Amino acid sequence: MNPSMAGSLAEPDYLNHETTVRSWLLTRDHKRIGVMFLVLVIFALLLGGTFAMLLRIELLTPGPTIMGPMTYNRVFTLHGVTMVWLFMIPAIPSAFGNFVLPLMLGAKEVAFPRLNLASVYIYAAGAALTLFGMVWSGADTGWTFYTPYSTTSPTAVTPILLGVFIIGFSTIITGLNFITTTHTLRAPGMHWSRIPLFVWAIYGTSVIQVVATPVLAMVLVLVALERVAGVGIFDPTRGGDPVLFQHMFWFYSHPAVYIMVLPAMGVISEVVCAFSRKNIFGYRMIAASTFGIAFVGFFSWGHHMFVSGQSTFGSGIFGVLSMLVAIFTAIKIFNWVATMYGGAIDLKVPLLYVLGFIFLLTFGGMTGVAVATTSLDVHWHDTYFIVAHFHYIMVGSVLMAFLAALHYWWPKMFGRLFPERWAFVAACTIIFGFIVTFLPQFLLGNMGMPRRYYQYPSEMQWLNVLSTAGASLLAFGFGLIGIYLLWSLRYGKVSPASPWGSRGYEWFSASPPGPHNFREPPRFEREVHDYTVSEAPHVY
Amino acid sequence: MAEHGRKSVWGYVGIWGVLVVLTVATWLLGTRGHLGSWSLPVAMGIAVGKTALVAMFFMHLVEQPGARRVVFPVSALFLALLLGVSLVEAMTRVRMARPDGPKALEPARPASTRTAPPGSPTRWMGH
């Protein structure tokens, strides 16, 4: 079938074959569940972004600007909790993974559709409890809940801990679902060596989610127990060890960085192929490096603890192991660049975000190698240098990949095209705004400005003003995206089946796909992203 | 062996017998072993062996294909990683100076008379 005709067929798709509220609330369709997750995580992004803007406005002047110190402590906690637990961890796997992974595998559904629906409600319940705790009396511990402060803080730490604990179940269920789906529901012709790199990334992420999330759940419950029942686990006055909390917390939370970044890398691998019109350079090495990152990521949690009182021996080992992550990341970056080299580059908006991703990941990664060096980390620890580093590596890469995925798969999800000119303006604004926001923070940190302080010496003001100006550009860019995407849902041009000319397996279905994904059982005869043949992919 | 690769009843009885023997061995270790500081590691080693037997045969992991069989040892490996590395780190920490001055120059006191002040980071380790 000619893909340009597929979009015009009047067959019902997953959006309009049933339109009642009940059909959405009780759906077992992975695509609808992906859309529900997308709405929820965008709401979380909006909330977290609003808190970020409040922080940046407060830091416009060296003294108090719009809030007092206690409010500031609560707002940075709200920002961190919302962005990390409610947005960045579920954003790509739960929203785009749910929508795209079965399509890429040629499956009708995920392995456990009911559990998949449950994961949405568990996430929503956990998020609601977390937000309730925030509204009730906030929390001022930061998103890391470090003991002994988190066990003694009078703010509403316990409901927020329980909320994050509940969200963890959603993460585990989603991970189990993706692992099982990848093993059992692949279409004929889908050998392990043909699995799209986005699926490999989600698979690697799922392994981390299943293995590491229970440790986070355990440590959060222990903190809650210490708060509620006075059990001495982390409080040294009761025989506990506060450093033990950091071990358990970072055993999950460092790999959690890869829960955020690996799916982002999977998105990049797909988009870079589609807009370079080339199959990926070094498929096996990229897939292997995904697992290399996932594996080494479990051995490097102690680099968050160089000034915690951790042993020098431990710090040295963790420092060296942390640097290994850079090797696997570099493999990916070299392969993406090599994929683009000599390709027929089509600089559409998703590829623009890919370029932003590669720049931010490289810059953030190199500063990561620097802070993995213990002597340097002692100088930079808990300064804005660290804030800038993790925003580049974690937030920047996740946001760029999230926006690349959103634009790349928007026609697939909703069957509409967005106005490319506006999207181009928004992408440039966001990439430039991000750099302007966080680059000055490297300098501020190197000058000694500590994180989580709401006052600073006046000679640091110009850099803080620059950072706030960048944040305003970011807010403008996101606002623009929200406007044109919502506009396109109603007024955008109807998309053909494969508007980008991509040969990714997910484009072998209609856009938007039917309720059962494919009209006939698919069979994948060619390599994914095979651009060596001239004809368009068969739409099943 | 019965069909689907499952063991016969007598096979399970045999494994149960091994578990009983290992349980008795742990008990003997506790009451008559006299292994001193090795008692705990040896007992833990026996416990890990028993857990592996239960997982392999009574939870039928041994009958599973490769990928599913890997799940158990990988989970155990990650748990060992968390506990092992945390313990090695704790054991190699520099001992904090006491508030009333360095004690290293004083002659060592019997363990029963040594107490760390409340709030000492090393108190949980029993120093």
Side-chain angles (χ1 to χ4, degrees):
Chain A
M1 175 184 297
N2 184 346
S4 61
M5 292 169 58
S8 61
L9 291 177
E11 290 181 25
D13 57 54
Y14 81 99
L15 290 168
N16 62 20
H17 80 289
E18 281 181 304
T19 53
T20 61
V21 174
R22 180 187 164 85
S23 73
W24 274 89
L25 294 179
L26 298 180
T27 185
R28 280 170 275 157
D29 185 338
H30 67 95
K31 301 178 290 298
R32 286 190 167 198
I33 289 170
V35 171
M36 287 158 78
F37 263 120
L38 184 64
V39 172
L40 289 171
V41 297
I42 286 177
F43 175 70
L45 174 63
L46 194 64
L47 206 58
T50 305
F51 293 135
M53 274 313 296
L54 290 175
L55 293 173
R56 287 313 320 166
I57 293 169
E58 169 52 39
L59 292 171
L60 263 176
T61 64
T65 311
I66 57 167
M67 62 182 87
M70 291 309 295
T71 309
Y72 184 81
N73 289 350
R74 290 178 180 175
V75 174
F76 76 64
T77 303
L78 296 178
H79 168 66
V81 167
T82 309
M83 288 300 285
V84 172
W85 305 113
L86 305 188
F87 172 68
M88 284 196 295
I89 288 180
I92 296 177
S94 298
F96 298 113
N98 253 315
F99 195 98
V100 172
L101 182 134
L103 291 172
M104 285 183 164
L105 293 174
K108 272 174 69 176
E109 250 307 337
V110 291
F112 307 116
R114 285 189 176 86
L115 270 182
N116 205 21
L117 178 62
S119 73
V120 181
Y121 288 109
I122 291 170
Y123 169 84
L129 187 56
T130 306
L131 294 175
F132 163 75
M134 293 177 183
V135 174
W136 183 23
S137 73
D140 55 358
T141 60
W143 72 275
T144 49
F145 308 114
Y146 269 14
T147 57
Y149 187 63
S150 62
T151 57
T152 53
S153 168
T155 56
V157 176
T158 307
I160 296 177
L161 289 174
L162 291 179
V164 174
F165 175 80
I166 291 169
I167 291 170
F169 282 97
S170 170
T171 307
I172 292 171
I173 290 171
T174 302
L176 281 174
N177 230 332
F178 290 159
I179 290 172
T180 315
T181 304
T182 308
H183 275 271
T184 59
L185 296 181
R186 300 195 309 278
M190 175 69 73
H191 314 300
W192 283 99
S193 59
R194 278 189 182 169
I195 290 179
L197 285 165
F198 180 72
V199 176
W200 274 122
I202 293 288
Y203 184 87
T205 305
S206 300
V207 172
I208 304 176
Q209 286 174 327
V210 171
V211 173
T213 310
V215 180
L216 174 77
M218 197 163 62
V219 72
L220 294 180
V221 167
L222 290 176
V223 173
L225 268 179
E226 190 158 305
R227 283 180 65 86
V228 175
V231 182
I233 299 159
F234 304 119
D235 182 355
T237 61
R238 297 189 183 116
D241 180 12
V243 179
L244 178 65
F245 170 85
Q246 294 191 32
H247 274 300
M248 295 176 74
F249 180 81
W250 288 114
F251 183 79
Y252 165 80
S253 294
H254 187 67
V257 173
Y258 306 114
I259 291 178
M260 303 169 206
V261 173
L262 284 180
M265 291 172 163
V267 169
I268 301 307
S269 296
E270 294 297 324
V271 175
V272 84
C273 289
F275 294 96
S276 304
R277 296 290 186 271
K278 269 174 73 184
N279 204 342
I280 196 84
F281 181 89
Y283 170 89
R284 286 175 192 275
M285 289 308 291
I286 290 190
S289 62
T290 297
F291 286 88
I293 291 174
F295 187 69
V296 174
F298 270 103
F299 290 84
S300 51
W301 76 87
H303 69 222
H304 296 271
M305 301 165 56
F306 286 158
V307 298
S308 68
Q310 175 178 255
S311 78
T312 315
F313 175 73
S315 294
I317 298 292
F318 281 125
V320 171
L321 289 171
S322 302
M323 292 178 190
L324 290 180
V325 177
I327 296 173
F328 297 112
T329 310
I331 288 172
K332 287 179 181 289
I333 292 174
F334 282 125
N335 282 321
W336 291 324
V337 174
T339 304
M340 284 189 277
Y341 179 76
I345 301 285
D346 187 9
L347 191 59
K348 291 278 178 12
V349 172
L351 189 64
L352 201 55
Y353 284 114
V354 168
L355 298 178
F357 175 96
I358 291 175
F359 172 76
L360 295 179
L361 186 77
T362 307
F363 204 95
M366 290 195 308
T367 55
V369 174
V371 294
T373 311
T374 48
S375 52
L376 291 173
D377 184 76
V378 170
H379 174 64
W380 286 324
H381 194 89
D382 268 350
T383 69
Y384 262 83
F385 193 94
I386 300 297
V387 175
H389 158 68
F390 74 71
H391 275 87
Y392 261 70
I393 196 94
M394 223 166 71
V395 185
S397 55
V398 171
L399 272 182
M400 293 300 137
F402 180 80
L403 292 172
L406 189 65
H407 287 83
Y408 178 54
W409 285 316
W410 186 262
K412 168 61 61 185
M413 296 176 91
F414 301 106
R416 298 279 180 169
L417 298 174
F418 51 82
E420 286 209 42
R421 192 168 298 173
W422 285 110
F424 205 86
V425 170
C428 292
T429 307
I430 283 182
I431 294 169
F432 182 67
F434 195 93
I435 294 169
V436 174
T437 304
F438 294 104
L439 202 59
Q441 294 184 10
F442 281 113
L443 304 175
L444 284 167
N446 202 40
M447 290 163 69
M449 181 170 167
R451 65 193 287 199
R452 297 179 175 175
Y453 277 43
Y454 93 122
Q455 283 182 303
Y456 54 83
S458 56
E459 59 264 31
M460 295 177 176
Q461 187 176 9
W462 73 276
L463 286 169
N464 274 294
V465 170
L466 199 58
S467 184
T468 303
S472 308
L473 282 177
L474 272 175
F476 174 76
F478 278 112
L480 198 57
I481 291 175
I483 290 168
Y484 70 69
L485 286 184
L486 286 175
W487 176 89
S488 79
L489 282 178
R490 189 170 178 86
Y491 303 107
K493 286 182 187 167
V494 174
S495 168
S498 184
W500 311 116
S502 172
R503 303 282 166 87
Y505 288 149
E506 74 276 24
W507 297 100
F508 285 48
S509 60
S511 299
H516 301 295
N517 291 353
F518 302 97
R519 299 184 191 100
E520 55 185 293
R523 183 175 183 85
F524 299 121
E525 305 284 0
R526 296 196 179 117
E527 300 294 315
V528 65
H529 289 291
D530 184 357
Y531 296 96
T532 57
V533 287
S534 55
E535 75 266 25
H538 175 73
V539 177
Y540 290 93
Chain B
M1 298 284 268
E3 58 182 356
H4 304 305
R6 293 202 170 196
K7 283 196 162 306
S8 67
V9 173
W10 288 109
Y12 288 117
V13 171
I15 292 158
W16 176 75
V18 173
L19 289 172
V20 170
V21 168
L22 289 174
T23 306
V24 171
T26 310
W27 176 70
L28 287 174
L29 186 72
T31 54
R32 302 176 195 180
H34 307 303
L35 290 182
S37 60
W38 283 96
S39 294
L40 185 61
V42 173
M44 291 301 289
I46 294 174
V48 169
K50 284 159 61 183
T51 309
L53 284 176
V54 170
M56 280 194 297
F57 297 104
F58 291 109
M59 294 169 75
H60 305 293
L61 267 181
V62 76
E63 300 155 20
Q64 300 296 318
R68 275 176 250 169
R69 204 188 295 180
V70 165
V71 169
F72 178 75
V74 166
S75 308
L77 178 74
F78 278 99
L79 189 61
L81 177 72
L82 170 64
L83 297 179
V85 175
S86 301
L87 283 173
V88 166
E89 184 279 310
M91 285 189 292
T92 53
R93 279 182 209 166
V94 176
R95 297 173 89 184
M96 308 286 273
R98 303 284 169 84
D100 53 350
K103 296 283 186 186
L105 298 177
E106 292 181 4
R109 285 177 290 164
S112 59
T113 63
R114 275 187 278 157
T115 53
S120 163
T122 56
R123 196 179 178 210
W124 72 279
M125 294 169 66
H127 294 299

